[in-house]
Amino acid sequence: MLPPATAAVIVFFCLALISPASPVTLTLERAFPSNHGVELSELRARDMLRHRRFLQSVSYVVDFPVKGTFDPSQVGLYYTKVKLGTPPREFYVQIDTGSDVLWVSCGSCNGCPQTSGLQIQLNYFDPGSSSTSSLIACSDQRCRKGAQSSDTSCSGQNNQCTYTFQYGDGSGTSGYYVSDLMNFASLSEGSLPSTAAAPVVFGCSNLQTGDLTKSDRAIDGIFGFGQDGMSVISQLSSQGLSPRVFSHCLKGDSSGGGILVLGEIVEPNMIYSPLVPSQPHYNLNLQSISVNGQILPIDSAVFATSNNRGTIIDSGTTLAYLAEEAYNPFVNAITVAIPQSVRTVLSRGNQCYLMTTSNFDIFPQVSLNFAGGASLVLGPSDYLIQKSYIGDGSVWCIGFQKIPGQSVTILGDLVLKDKIFVYDLVDQRIGWANYDCSLSVNVSASTGTGRSEFVNAGEFSGSTSLHDGPHMFIKTGLFALFMHIIVIVFL
């Protein structure tokens, strides 16, 4: 096939040969009549539509470098930075796969903290100060999409689309939806890192309660990575700007940080398990638990997904939680597997161990066995939390908790750290592999094509970068009562 430019030249000369005495005239039409002025807003809207057509032909890898750590004695959460509005303003938001909506604190917020113990500058979004911001009306189809959940509603008095979120730690937030530009660092195939912007709908919080009002670990909001239509991952993929897959790799050491990308991290050791269909969260079918290769005597029905059962992957939870029927067999199996010379102690109902050395080889390997033959293998650092020092020793406690009277299992940052996790929403599956999250990764902009880009951890210098220097790192529904358990102090 001829290149378009060559074909155009041939057509031109063919026309000239057909009628040599009559020159060919190509008329250039004005997009707007010349006899009246055009508002800048109209020109900007037309240009944005044209630019979006350009962008829709390209699928981007979007990079969100990460800060924070799972360690409850330090931060107890992982967060990133987003830029919203025109001119853009920066907001620190928690990375949360257990909810769907991105929301940030807004001006005149009741209960919003003024300072943060994380040594970050808190900001407030003001829709009136952004030239590209607009409120979401009740009649807007995006509001109707959000209204499919019980958390979105409409205020008939001012025709505003509003929301209320309640989290499992007793905290909550409410506000209204706005649409504005999100600026982000991106990488298209064969290109250098660059910045881009796209319109997204997000929440403007004017009321916060519970732990969200506390300053010790205060941030500007929460970045929901769920698969609902209101999530940013769904919004960007529907615009053709990013693939419907995202990945993270959370560092588990004291420095924390990691990698978060809209795209598929490609790793040869990745194993996958299918998502349970038609669930509001990322539910996997946990079938059994093994300790040192021995399957525990737990009825598999305990893990089956139903209205009040199931296993959820949630980066917004710090620790991990087992269904009550599975908790005691799990703890007992670990205690029986270690030498009797290790002193065991109970503290506030938690099983702990007094260690005189840091030799964790005495602790067993644990496997969470999922549908599709995929096992999530946990070492001691994936289920133990160091609590305190006593003389020459230190106290380590099992970080898995239980929710009395409930059969929900939640795998939080304690389990997710030091591994690549891929959330493939196209093929409805989640994959994982052990990985050093300070290393580089290969990222594919689309699943199943083999196309990939080389992305260094935190290498983008774009709008969402959290760099402090070279290579520094960066609920809704029925289970809402149990989600978002950010920090549990259990000793």
Side-chain angles (χ1 to χ4, degrees), residues 114-163:
Q114 304 295 314
T115 59
S116 174
L118 300 180
Q119 307 302 313
I120 59 176
Q121 178 65 48
L122 298 180
N123 276 321
Y124 296 90
F125 182 77
D126 179 11
S129 65
S130 173
S131 62
T132 50
S133 176
S134 61
L135 300 180
I136 301 298
C138 292
S139 57
D140 194 301
Q141 64 176 1
R142 291 169 293 184
C143 182
R144 293 196 296 269
K145 182 183 296 183
Q148 295 173 1
S149 72
S150 59
D151 302 298
T152 299
S153 59
C154 262
S155 173
Q157 185 177 2
N158 52 18
N159 194 32
Q160 274 190 352
C161 189
T162 61
Y163 66 87

mmCIF file of all heavy atoms in Angstrom, residues 114-163:
data_model
loop_
_atom_site.group_PDB
_atom_site.id
_atom_site.type_symbol
_atom_site.label_atom_id
_atom_site.label_comp_id
_atom_site.label_asym_id
_atom_site.label_seq_id
_atom_site.Cartn_x
_atom_site.Cartn_y
_atom_site.Cartn_z
ATOM 1 N N GLN A 114 -5.652 19.887 58.915
ATOM 2 C CA GLN A 114 -4.903 21.024 58.379
ATOM 3 C C GLN A 114 -3.436 20.695 58.144
ATOM 4 O O GLN A 114 -2.795 21.298 57.292
ATOM 5 C CB GLN A 114 -5.006 22.214 59.341
ATOM 6 C CG GLN A 114 -6.430 22.634 59.660
ATOM 7 C CD GLN A 114 -7.161 23.167 58.452
ATOM 8 O OE1 GLN A 114 -6.616 23.982 57.703
ATOM 9 N NE2 GLN A 114 -8.392 22.710 58.247
ATOM 10 N N THR A 115 -2.906 19.736 58.920
ATOM 11 C CA THR A 115 -1.506 19.357 58.789
ATOM 12 C C THR A 115 -1.393 17.836 58.770
ATOM 13 O O THR A 115 -2.335 17.125 59.132
ATOM 14 C CB THR A 115 -0.663 19.905 59.959
ATOM 15 O OG1 THR A 115 -1.190 19.388 61.195
ATOM 16 C CG2 THR A 115 -0.701 21.429 59.982
ATOM 17 N N SER A 116 -0.221 17.334 58.359
ATOM 18 C CA SER A 116 -0.007 15.896 58.275
ATOM 19 C C SER A 116 1.303 15.503 58.929
ATOM 20 O O SER A 116 2.341 16.158 58.725
ATOM 21 C CB SER A 116 0.001 15.434 56.814
ATOM 22 O OG SER A 116 0.346 14.058 56.726
ATOM 23 N N GLY A 117 1.254 14.438 59.713
ATOM 24 C CA GLY A 117 2.457 13.891 60.305
ATOM 25 C C GLY A 117 3.359 13.203 59.305
ATOM 26 O O GLY A 117 4.471 12.790 59.648
ATOM 27 N N LEU A 118 2.923 13.055 58.064
ATOM 28 C CA LEU A 118 3.729 12.428 57.020
ATOM 29 C C LEU A 118 4.692 13.415 56.369
ATOM 30 O O LEU A 118 5.356 13.073 55.386
ATOM 31 C CB LEU A 118 2.810 11.827 55.941
ATOM 32 C CG LEU A 118 1.831 10.760 56.415
ATOM 33 C CD1 LEU A 118 0.986 10.255 55.250
ATOM 34 C CD2 LEU A 118 2.552 9.610 57.085
ATOM 35 N N GLN A 119 4.742 14.639 56.893
ATOM 36 C CA GLN A 119 5.636 15.672 56.358
ATOM 37 C C GLN A 119 5.300 16.000 54.904
ATOM 38 O O GLN A 119 6.196 16.177 54.067
ATOM 39 C CB GLN A 119 7.109 15.235 56.485
ATOM 40 C CG GLN A 119 7.517 14.821 57.879
ATOM 41 C CD GLN A 119 7.299 15.929 58.918
ATOM 42 O OE1 GLN A 119 7.664 17.064 58.688
ATOM 43 N NE2 GLN A 119 6.684 15.574 60.045
ATOM 44 N N ILE A 120 4.028 16.090 54.604
ATOM 45 C CA ILE A 120 3.580 16.502 53.284
ATOM 46 C C ILE A 120 2.684 17.720 53.444
ATOM 47 O O ILE A 120 2.053 17.925 54.484
ATOM 48 C CB ILE A 120 2.822 15.379 52.546
ATOM 49 C CG1 ILE A 120 1.594 14.929 53.346
ATOM 50 C CG2 ILE A 120 3.742 14.203 52.255
ATOM 51 C CD1 ILE A 120 0.750 13.885 52.640
ATOM 52 N N GLN A 121 2.631 18.536 52.386
ATOM 53 C CA GLN A 121 1.790 19.717 52.387
ATOM 54 C C GLN A 121 0.385 19.346 51.922
ATOM 55 O O GLN A 121 0.201 18.887 50.804
ATOM 56 C CB GLN A 121 2.376 20.785 51.446
ATOM 57 C CG GLN A 121 1.541 22.053 51.333
ATOM 58 C CD GLN A 121 1.456 22.817 52.636
ATOM 59 O OE1 GLN A 121 2.482 23.042 53.285
ATOM 60 N NE2 GLN A 121 0.260 23.217 53.030
ATOM 61 N N LEU A 122 -0.597 19.528 52.796
ATOM 62 C CA LEU A 122 -1.975 19.219 52.426
ATOM 63 C C LEU A 122 -2.562 20.349 51.589
ATOM 64 O O LEU A 122 -2.259 21.519 51.807
ATOM 65 C CB LEU A 122 -2.826 18.994 53.679
ATOM 66 C CG LEU A 122 -2.413 17.826 54.582
ATOM 67 C CD1 LEU A 122 -3.340 17.722 55.780
ATOM 68 C CD2 LEU A 122 -2.402 16.511 53.802
ATOM 69 N N ASN A 123 -3.420 19.985 50.637
ATOM 70 C CA ASN A 123 -4.038 20.962 49.748
ATOM 71 C C ASN A 123 -5.544 20.779 49.727
ATOM 72 O O ASN A 123 -6.068 19.725 50.100
ATOM 73 C CB ASN A 123 -3.488 20.832 48.323
ATOM 74 C CG ASN A 123 -2.194 21.596 48.133
ATOM 75 O OD1 ASN A 123 -2.035 22.701 48.650
ATOM 76 N ND2 ASN A 123 -1.264 21.013 47.399
ATOM 77 N N TYR A 124 -6.225 21.797 49.244
ATOM 78 C CA TYR A 124 -7.680 21.747 49.093
ATOM 79 C C TYR A 124 -8.023 22.121 47.661
ATOM 80 O O TYR A 124 -7.509 23.109 47.131
ATOM 81 C CB TYR A 124 -8.380 22.706 50.065
ATOM 82 C CG TYR A 124 -8.180 22.343 51.505
ATOM 83 C CD1 TYR A 124 -7.098 22.851 52.229
ATOM 84 C CD2 TYR A 124 -9.054 21.474 52.141
ATOM 85 C CE1 TYR A 124 -6.900 22.507 53.545
ATOM 86 C CE2 TYR A 124 -8.863 21.119 53.469
ATOM 87 C CZ TYR A 124 -7.782 21.641 54.160
ATOM 88 O OH TYR A 124 -7.591 21.283 55.465
ATOM 89 N N PHE A 125 -8.886 21.325 47.051
ATOM 90 C CA PHE A 125 -9.298 21.610 45.678
ATOM 91 C C PHE A 125 -10.426 22.642 45.682
ATOM 92 O O PHE A 125 -11.372 22.533 46.471
ATOM 93 C CB PHE A 125 -9.775 20.323 44.987
ATOM 94 C CG PHE A 125 -10.165 20.536 43.548
ATOM 95 C CD1 PHE A 125 -9.197 20.662 42.568
ATOM 96 C CD2 PHE A 125 -11.506 20.633 43.184
ATOM 97 C CE1 PHE A 125 -9.556 20.854 41.242
ATOM 98 C CE2 PHE A 125 -11.865 20.824 41.868
ATOM 99 C CZ PHE A 125 -10.888 20.939 40.895
ATOM 100 N N ASP A 126 -10.315 23.618 44.798
ATOM 101 C CA ASP A 126 -11.336 24.659 44.661
ATOM 102 C C ASP A 126 -11.838 24.661 43.223
ATOM 103 O O ASP A 126 -11.126 25.120 42.324
ATOM 104 C CB ASP A 126 -10.756 26.016 45.020
ATOM 105 C CG ASP A 126 -11.779 27.142 44.872
ATOM 106 O OD1 ASP A 126 -12.980 26.840 44.699
ATOM 107 O OD2 ASP A 126 -11.374 28.323 44.944
ATOM 108 N N PRO A 127 -13.040 24.132 42.963
ATOM 109 C CA PRO A 127 -13.547 24.099 41.581
ATOM 110 C C PRO A 127 -13.599 25.480 40.941
ATOM 111 O O PRO A 127 -13.400 25.618 39.731
ATOM 112 C CB PRO A 127 -14.953 23.503 41.739
ATOM 113 C CG PRO A 127 -14.913 22.739 43.017
ATOM 114 C CD PRO A 127 -13.990 23.506 43.913
ATOM 115 N N GLY A 128 -13.830 26.518 41.756
ATOM 116 C CA GLY A 128 -13.943 27.860 41.202
ATOM 117 C C GLY A 128 -12.641 28.438 40.704
ATOM 118 O O GLY A 128 -12.645 29.375 39.890
ATOM 119 N N SER A 129 -11.513 27.902 41.162
ATOM 120 C CA SER A 129 -10.216 28.436 40.751
ATOM 121 C C SER A 129 -9.618 27.675 39.574
ATOM 122 O O SER A 129 -8.509 28.000 39.132
ATOM 123 C CB SER A 129 -9.235 28.398 41.927
ATOM 124 O OG SER A 129 -8.958 27.059 42.306
ATOM 125 N N SER A 130 -10.322 26.677 39.059
ATOM 126 C CA SER A 130 -9.848 25.905 37.904
ATOM 127 C C SER A 130 -10.681 26.263 36.680
ATOM 128 O O SER A 130 -11.909 26.155 36.700
ATOM 129 C CB SER A 130 -9.943 24.405 38.174
ATOM 130 O OG SER A 130 -9.643 23.668 37.006
ATOM 131 N N SER A 131 -10.023 26.671 35.607
ATOM 132 C CA SER A 131 -10.737 27.086 34.395
ATOM 133 C C SER A 131 -11.357 25.919 33.643
ATOM 134 O O SER A 131 -12.181 26.123 32.742
ATOM 135 C CB SER A 131 -9.782 27.835 33.462
ATOM 136 O OG SER A 131 -8.714 26.987 33.048
ATOM 137 N N THR A 132 -10.982 24.696 33.993
ATOM 138 C CA THR A 132 -11.514 23.521 33.280
ATOM 139 C C THR A 132 -12.466 22.701 34.141
ATOM 140 O O THR A 132 -12.855 21.602 33.758
ATOM 141 C CB THR A 132 -10.351 22.627 32.811
ATOM 142 O OG1 THR A 132 -9.462 22.377 33.901
ATOM 143 C CG2 THR A 132 -9.579 23.288 31.674
ATOM 144 N N SER A 133 -12.842 23.213 35.306
ATOM 145 C CA SER A 133 -13.689 22.462 36.229
ATOM 146 C C SER A 133 -15.169 22.696 35.940
ATOM 147 O O SER A 133 -15.577 23.785 35.536
ATOM 148 C CB SER A 133 -13.374 22.872 37.668
ATOM 149 O OG SER A 133 -14.236 22.232 38.584
ATOM 150 N N SER A 134 -15.961 21.651 36.161
ATOM 151 C CA SER A 134 -17.414 21.768 36.043
ATOM 152 C C SER A 134 -18.067 20.810 37.031
ATOM 153 O O SER A 134 -17.547 19.729 37.293
ATOM 154 C CB SER A 134 -17.883 21.474 34.618
ATOM 155 O OG SER A 134 -17.549 20.147 34.242
ATOM 156 N N LEU A 135 -19.199 21.222 37.578
ATOM 157 C CA LEU A 135 -19.934 20.381 38.507
ATOM 158 C C LEU A 135 -20.726 19.329 37.747
ATOM 159 O O LEU A 135 -21.126 19.547 36.593
ATOM 160 C CB LEU A 135 -20.873 21.227 39.364
ATOM 161 C CG LEU A 135 -20.213 22.311 40.220
ATOM 162 C CD1 LEU A 135 -21.281 23.068 41.011
ATOM 163 C CD2 LEU A 135 -19.180 21.722 41.160
ATOM 164 N N ILE A 136 -20.942 18.192 38.379
ATOM 165 C CA ILE A 136 -21.717 17.117 37.763
ATOM 166 C C ILE A 136 -23.174 17.245 38.216
ATOM 167 O O ILE A 136 -23.472 17.179 39.404
ATOM 168 C CB ILE A 136 -21.159 15.736 38.148
ATOM 169 C CG1 ILE A 136 -19.706 15.625 37.712
ATOM 170 C CG2 ILE A 136 -21.993 14.620 37.529
ATOM 171 C CD1 ILE A 136 -19.492 15.728 36.216
ATOM 172 N N ALA A 137 -24.059 17.448 37.258
ATOM 173 C CA ALA A 137 -25.480 17.626 37.559
ATOM 174 C C ALA A 137 -26.163 16.275 37.706
ATOM 175 O O ALA A 137 -25.661 15.236 37.252
ATOM 176 C CB ALA A 137 -26.157 18.434 36.460
ATOM 177 N N CYS A 138 -27.328 16.299 38.332
ATOM 178 C CA CYS A 138 -28.086 15.062 38.525
ATOM 179 C C CYS A 138 -28.446 14.405 37.195
ATOM 180 O O CYS A 138 -28.538 13.182 37.094
ATOM 181 C CB CYS A 138 -29.359 15.355 39.316
ATOM 182 S SG CYS A 138 -29.056 15.823 41.036
ATOM 183 N N SER A 139 -28.666 15.225 36.174
ATOM 184 C CA SER A 139 -29.080 14.697 34.872
ATOM 185 C C SER A 139 -27.921 14.120 34.070
ATOM 186 O O SER A 139 -28.132 13.472 33.046
ATOM 187 C CB SER A 139 -29.754 15.808 34.056
ATOM 188 O OG SER A 139 -28.875 16.920 33.917
ATOM 189 N N ASP A 140 -26.695 14.354 34.522
ATOM 190 C CA ASP A 140 -25.510 13.874 33.819
ATOM 191 C C ASP A 140 -25.480 12.351 33.861
ATOM 192 O O ASP A 140 -25.695 11.739 34.902
ATOM 193 C CB ASP A 140 -24.254 14.444 34.468
ATOM 194 C CG ASP A 140 -23.006 14.267 33.617
ATOM 195 O OD1 ASP A 140 -22.672 13.110 33.304
ATOM 196 O OD2 ASP A 140 -22.360 15.274 33.284
ATOM 197 N N GLN A 141 -25.177 11.722 32.730
ATOM 198 C CA GLN A 141 -25.163 10.253 32.674
ATOM 199 C C GLN A 141 -24.084 9.673 33.577
ATOM 200 O O GLN A 141 -24.196 8.544 34.056
ATOM 201 C CB GLN A 141 -24.950 9.787 31.237
ATOM 202 C CG GLN A 141 -23.607 10.180 30.630
ATOM 203 C CD GLN A 141 -23.421 9.604 29.236
ATOM 204 O OE1 GLN A 141 -24.306 8.921 28.714
ATOM 205 N NE2 GLN A 141 -22.285 9.871 28.624
ATOM 206 N N ARG A 142 -23.032 10.451 33.848
ATOM 207 C CA ARG A 142 -21.991 9.978 34.755
ATOM 208 C C ARG A 142 -22.512 9.906 36.186
ATOM 209 O O ARG A 142 -22.095 9.049 36.961
ATOM 210 C CB ARG A 142 -20.771 10.891 34.659
ATOM 211 C CG ARG A 142 -20.040 10.793 33.326
ATOM 212 C CD ARG A 142 -19.023 11.887 33.166
ATOM 213 N NE ARG A 142 -19.640 13.209 33.055
ATOM 214 C CZ ARG A 142 -18.959 14.336 32.836
ATOM 215 N NH1 ARG A 142 -17.632 14.286 32.711
ATOM 216 N NH2 ARG A 142 -19.578 15.493 32.747
ATOM 217 N N CYS A 143 -23.421 10.782 36.526
ATOM 218 C CA CYS A 143 -24.050 10.710 37.849
ATOM 219 C C CYS A 143 -24.960 9.492 37.923
ATOM 220 O O CYS A 143 -24.995 8.796 38.933
ATOM 221 C CB CYS A 143 -24.848 11.978 38.133
ATOM 222 S SG CYS A 143 -25.621 12.004 39.765
ATOM 223 N N ARG A 144 -25.692 9.233 36.853
ATOM 224 C CA ARG A 144 -26.575 8.070 36.830
ATOM 225 C C ARG A 144 -25.769 6.774 36.929
ATOM 226 O O ARG A 144 -26.211 5.797 37.523
ATOM 227 C CB ARG A 144 -27.429 8.072 35.563
ATOM 228 C CG ARG A 144 -28.443 9.213 35.524
ATOM 229 C CD ARG A 144 -29.502 8.960 34.471
ATOM 230 N NE ARG A 144 -28.946 8.929 33.125
ATOM 231 C CZ ARG A 144 -28.853 10.020 32.344
ATOM 232 N NH1 ARG A 144 -29.252 11.197 32.799
ATOM 233 N NH2 ARG A 144 -28.349 9.939 31.136
ATOM 234 N N LYS A 145 -24.567 6.796 36.347
ATOM 235 C CA LYS A 145 -23.690 5.619 36.455
ATOM 236 C C LYS A 145 -23.275 5.401 37.895
ATOM 237 O O LYS A 145 -23.283 4.287 38.406
ATOM 238 C CB LYS A 145 -22.459 5.805 35.567
ATOM 239 C CG LYS A 145 -21.514 4.620 35.566
ATOM 240 C CD LYS A 145 -20.290 4.926 34.711
ATOM 241 C CE LYS A 145 -20.667 5.140 33.250
ATOM 242 N NZ LYS A 145 -19.468 5.361 32.400
ATOM 243 N N GLY A 146 -22.932 6.494 38.593
ATOM 244 C CA GLY A 146 -22.559 6.379 39.991
ATOM 245 C C GLY A 146 -23.726 6.036 40.881
ATOM 246 O O GLY A 146 -23.571 5.413 41.930
ATOM 247 N N ALA A 147 -24.926 6.443 40.456
ATOM 248 C CA ALA A 147 -26.117 6.196 41.266
ATOM 249 C C ALA A 147 -26.491 4.721 41.318
ATOM 250 O O ALA A 147 -27.371 4.329 42.081
ATOM 251 C CB ALA A 147 -27.294 7.009 40.726
ATOM 252 N N GLN A 148 -25.825 3.885 40.510
ATOM 253 C CA GLN A 148 -26.076 2.453 40.577
ATOM 254 C C GLN A 148 -25.621 1.882 41.916
ATOM 255 O O GLN A 148 -26.058 0.810 42.317
ATOM 256 C CB GLN A 148 -25.352 1.746 39.425
ATOM 257 C CG GLN A 148 -25.892 2.135 38.052
ATOM 258 C CD GLN A 148 -25.062 1.555 36.918
ATOM 259 O OE1 GLN A 148 -24.085 0.853 37.150
ATOM 260 N NE2 GLN A 148 -25.450 1.839 35.687
ATOM 261 N N SER A 149 -24.730 2.595 42.613
ATOM 262 C CA SER A 149 -24.345 2.208 43.959
ATOM 263 C C SER A 149 -25.130 3.051 44.947
ATOM 264 O O SER A 149 -25.641 4.116 44.623
ATOM 265 C CB SER A 149 -22.840 2.415 44.176
ATOM 266 O OG SER A 149 -22.542 3.788 44.266
ATOM 267 N N SER A 150 -25.220 2.560 46.178
ATOM 268 C CA SER A 150 -26.008 3.248 47.185
ATOM 269 C C SER A 150 -25.297 4.476 47.732
ATOM 270 O O SER A 150 -25.856 5.204 48.543
ATOM 271 C CB SER A 150 -26.319 2.287 48.341
ATOM 272 O OG SER A 150 -25.101 1.814 48.914
ATOM 273 N N ASP A 151 -24.044 4.740 47.284
ATOM 274 C CA ASP A 151 -23.272 5.843 47.841
ATOM 275 C C ASP A 151 -23.457 7.148 47.085
ATOM 276 O O ASP A 151 -23.049 8.197 47.558
ATOM 277 C CB ASP A 151 -21.783 5.487 47.851
ATOM 278 C CG ASP A 151 -21.530 4.226 48.653
ATOM 279 O OD1 ASP A 151 -21.812 4.238 49.849
ATOM 280 O OD2 ASP A 151 -21.071 3.235 48.064
ATOM 281 N N THR A 152 -24.039 7.103 45.898
ATOM 282 C CA THR A 152 -24.237 8.294 45.092
ATOM 283 C C THR A 152 -25.706 8.677 45.114
ATOM 284 O O THR A 152 -26.585 7.836 44.995
ATOM 285 C CB THR A 152 -23.771 8.052 43.643
ATOM 286 O OG1 THR A 152 -22.374 7.733 43.647
ATOM 287 C CG2 THR A 152 -24.004 9.275 42.778
ATOM 288 N N SER A 153 -25.951 9.955 45.265
ATOM 289 C CA SER A 153 -27.326 10.446 45.301
ATOM 290 C C SER A 153 -27.380 11.806 44.642
ATOM 291 O O SER A 153 -26.367 12.329 44.165
ATOM 292 C CB SER A 153 -27.834 10.527 46.752
ATOM 293 O OG SER A 153 -27.006 11.400 47.502
ATOM 294 N N CYS A 154 -28.574 12.409 44.608
ATOM 295 C CA CYS A 154 -28.753 13.701 43.963
ATOM 296 C C CYS A 154 -29.429 14.667 44.918
ATOM 297 O O CYS A 154 -30.335 14.305 45.652
ATOM 298 C CB CYS A 154 -29.589 13.572 42.693
ATOM 299 S SG CYS A 154 -28.563 13.505 41.222
ATOM 300 N N SER A 155 -28.950 15.901 44.877
ATOM 301 C CA SER A 155 -29.565 16.960 45.655
ATOM 302 C C SER A 155 -30.481 17.750 44.742
ATOM 303 O O SER A 155 -30.017 18.499 43.877
ATOM 304 C CB SER A 155 -28.477 17.869 46.255
ATOM 305 O OG SER A 155 -29.053 18.990 46.867
ATOM 306 N N GLY A 156 -31.776 17.546 44.903
ATOM 307 C CA GLY A 156 -32.737 18.228 44.041
ATOM 308 C C GLY A 156 -32.723 19.729 44.201
ATOM 309 O O GLY A 156 -33.089 20.470 43.288
ATOM 310 N N GLN A 157 -32.267 20.202 45.357
ATOM 311 C CA GLN A 157 -32.277 21.632 45.627
ATOM 312 C C GLN A 157 -31.324 22.391 44.714
ATOM 313 O O GLN A 157 -31.654 23.448 44.191
ATOM 314 C CB GLN A 157 -31.916 21.885 47.091
ATOM 315 C CG GLN A 157 -32.009 23.356 47.505
ATOM 316 C CD GLN A 157 -31.719 23.531 48.979
ATOM 317 O OE1 GLN A 157 -31.421 22.572 49.684
ATOM 318 N NE2 GLN A 157 -31.829 24.765 49.455
ATOM 319 N N ASN A 158 -30.113 21.847 44.503
ATOM 320 C CA ASN A 158 -29.148 22.543 43.649
ATOM 321 C C ASN A 158 -28.706 21.710 42.448
ATOM 322 O O ASN A 158 -27.734 22.055 41.778
ATOM 323 C CB ASN A 158 -27.919 22.954 44.470
ATOM 324 C CG ASN A 158 -27.328 21.788 45.244
ATOM 325 O OD1 ASN A 158 -27.602 20.626 44.946
ATOM 326 N ND2 ASN A 158 -26.513 22.090 46.246
ATOM 327 N N ASN A 159 -29.399 20.574 42.209
ATOM 328 C CA ASN A 159 -29.130 19.736 41.043
ATOM 329 C C ASN A 159 -27.695 19.219 41.031
ATOM 330 O O ASN A 159 -27.083 19.069 39.984
ATOM 331 C CB ASN A 159 -29.423 20.508 39.742
ATOM 332 C CG ASN A 159 -29.480 19.576 38.539
ATOM 333 O OD1 ASN A 159 -29.888 18.419 38.647
ATOM 334 N ND2 ASN A 159 -29.071 20.076 37.390
ATOM 335 N N GLN A 160 -27.137 18.941 42.200
ATOM 336 C CA GLN A 160 -25.771 18.448 42.296
ATOM 337 C C GLN A 160 -25.747 16.950 42.561
ATOM 338 O O GLN A 160 -26.542 16.435 43.348
ATOM 339 C CB GLN A 160 -25.011 19.159 43.425
ATOM 340 C CG GLN A 160 -24.373 20.465 43.006
ATOM 341 C CD GLN A 160 -23.435 21.003 44.077
ATOM 342 O OE1 GLN A 160 -23.394 20.468 45.176
ATOM 343 N NE2 GLN A 160 -22.699 22.056 43.756
ATOM 344 N N CYS A 161 -24.792 16.273 41.911
ATOM 345 C CA CYS A 161 -24.560 14.846 42.134
ATOM 346 C C CYS A 161 -23.642 14.709 43.352
ATOM 347 O O CYS A 161 -22.524 15.235 43.365
ATOM 348 C CB CYS A 161 -23.909 14.234 40.902
ATOM 349 S SG CYS A 161 -23.804 12.431 40.923
ATOM 350 N N THR A 162 -24.116 14.033 44.388
ATOM 351 C CA THR A 162 -23.382 13.954 45.650
ATOM 352 C C THR A 162 -23.058 12.505 46.009
ATOM 353 O O THR A 162 -23.566 11.564 45.384
ATOM 354 C CB THR A 162 -24.189 14.594 46.792
ATOM 355 O OG1 THR A 162 -25.422 13.881 46.946
ATOM 356 C CG2 THR A 162 -24.488 16.059 46.478
ATOM 357 N N TYR A 163 -22.216 12.320 47.027
ATOM 358 C CA TYR A 163 -21.829 10.978 47.467
ATOM 359 C C TYR A 163 -21.609 10.971 48.969
ATOM 360 O O TYR A 163 -21.365 12.010 49.598
ATOM 361 C CB TYR A 163 -20.552 10.519 46.761
ATOM 362 C CG TYR A 163 -19.343 11.330 47.130
ATOM 363 C CD1 TYR A 163 -18.574 11.008 48.251
ATOM 364 C CD2 TYR A 163 -18.973 12.443 46.381
ATOM 365 C CE1 TYR A 163 -17.482 11.770 48.607
ATOM 366 C CE2 TYR A 163 -17.880 13.213 46.729
ATOM 367 C CZ TYR A 163 -17.135 12.870 47.845
ATOM 368 O OH TYR A 163 -16.055 13.632 48.201
#
